[in-house]
Amino acid sequence: MVAWFRRILPREERFFALFDRHAGIIAAGAAELRAMLEGGDAVARHYPAVLAHEDEADAVTREVVQAVRRTFVTPFDRGDIQGLISRMDDAIDEMKKTAKAVALFEMREFEDGMREMGDAIVRCAAILRETVPLLAAIGRNAGQINALCEQIRQIEGEADDVHDAGVTALYRRCRAEGGALGYIAASEVFDRLEKVVDRFDDIANEIEGIVIEHV
């Protein structure tokens, strides 16, 4: 009787498509943010696109939240669905904050370490795009999902090392040159880039938690 009742309840089959769309937007935002780090005129060219992708991601997040509210039968726990889309949205929110910091400080030149961290963000976004479709069959794909999440974790650790080395080198150079304001601006962008990578680690943790509950 319970199984029959569940079958006639309203279902929302679009959750995975919405997750996939959001992951695609994250990847597009990551590419635009990385392009900004090339410096010069690229900053102004790609800055608006980062903001536009963040707006797109917000719209998808709202769709997911609305779908959760109107659906009785969801593919996995409602809290997990909202937690995952929130963590994903946090990642592109941090990209927007990073882009705005670059614009605020009128930066047109960037450290090599910043570009390395931008590369790390693009790599994490690509792994996320590969991971999200696998959630439609968690049991069958659990091993692959966990392996991909571990890749994100490794990239996050590497990015931490790049951040620390970059900020140290920046401090030493600015101290020698007397460039306190330049240090403040550049260290803020370094920190923002680190936070973007950290948000991907949060996503990986959220996904691994879902896998544990469903395998």
Side-chain angles (χ1 to χ4, degrees), residues 170-191:
L170 175 69
Y171 171 75
R172 289 171 178 167
R173 189 178 72 248
C174 290
R175 181 180 61 183
E177 298 172 355
L181 292 178
Y183 172 78
I184 292 170
S187 62
E188 173 68 15
V189 172
F190 260 124
D191 289 348

Side-chain angles (χ1 to χ4, degrees), residues 22-206:
H22 199 291
I25 295 168
I26 288 174
E32 295 293 345
L33 178 61
R34 175 60 182 84
M36 286 181 66
L37 299 176
E38 288 302 311
D41 294 340
V43 174
R45 285 201 311 273
H46 295 279
Y47 174 64
V50 176
L51 304 190
H53 287 312
E54 194 272 338
D55 287 340
E56 291 177 53
D58 279 347
V60 176
T61 299
R62 286 192 294 271
E63 282 192 62
V64 172
V65 172
Q66 290 167 2
V68 169
R69 289 172 179 168
R70 67 172 178 258
T71 305
F72 285 95
V73 180
T74 55
F76 42 85
D77 184 81
R78 296 167 186 275
D80 290 337
I81 290 172
Q82 296 191 81
L84 177 56
I85 199 65
S86 294
R87 298 294 81 73
M88 291 172 68
D89 209 48
D90 288 344
I92 197 160
D93 283 347
E94 286 294 346
M95 292 181 207
K96 177 181 178 179
K97 291 175 183 178
T98 304
K100 292 184 77 170
V102 169
L104 175 66
F105 292 118
E106 299 181 343
M107 294 181 67
R108 295 296 180 270
E109 297 181 3
F110 300 92
E111 306 289 324
D112 289 342
M114 293 177 182
R115 284 187 283 272
E116 287 185 56
M117 295 184 74
D119 291 337
I121 290 166
V122 170
R123 288 164 60 201
C124 285
I127 294 170
L128 180 63
R129 287 209 74 180
E130 185 179 352
T131 305
V132 165
L134 301 176
L135 295 173
I138 295 178
R140 185 171 68 244
N141 298 320
Q144 188 177 358
I145 292 170
N146 286 332
L148 290 167
C149 289
E150 181 59 28
Q151 288 181 37
I152 290 176
R153 188 162 293 107
Q154 290 175 356
I155 294 170
E156 190 270 338
E158 294 167 5
D160 278 349
D161 293 340
V162 172
H163 167 272
D164 294 347
V167 171
T168 298
L170 175 69
Y171 171 75
R172 289 171 178 167
R173 189 178 72 248
C174 290
R175 181 180 61 183
E177 298 172 355
L181 292 178
Y183 172 78
I184 292 170
S187 62
E188 173 68 15
V189 172
F190 260 124
D191 289 348
R192 285 294 175 190
L193 289 166
E194 183 185 33
K195 286 183 171 65
V196 177
V197 185
D198 286 346
R199 297 296 78 77
F200 281 103
D201 190 45
D202 293 342
I203 296 169
N205 289 336
E206 189 77 31

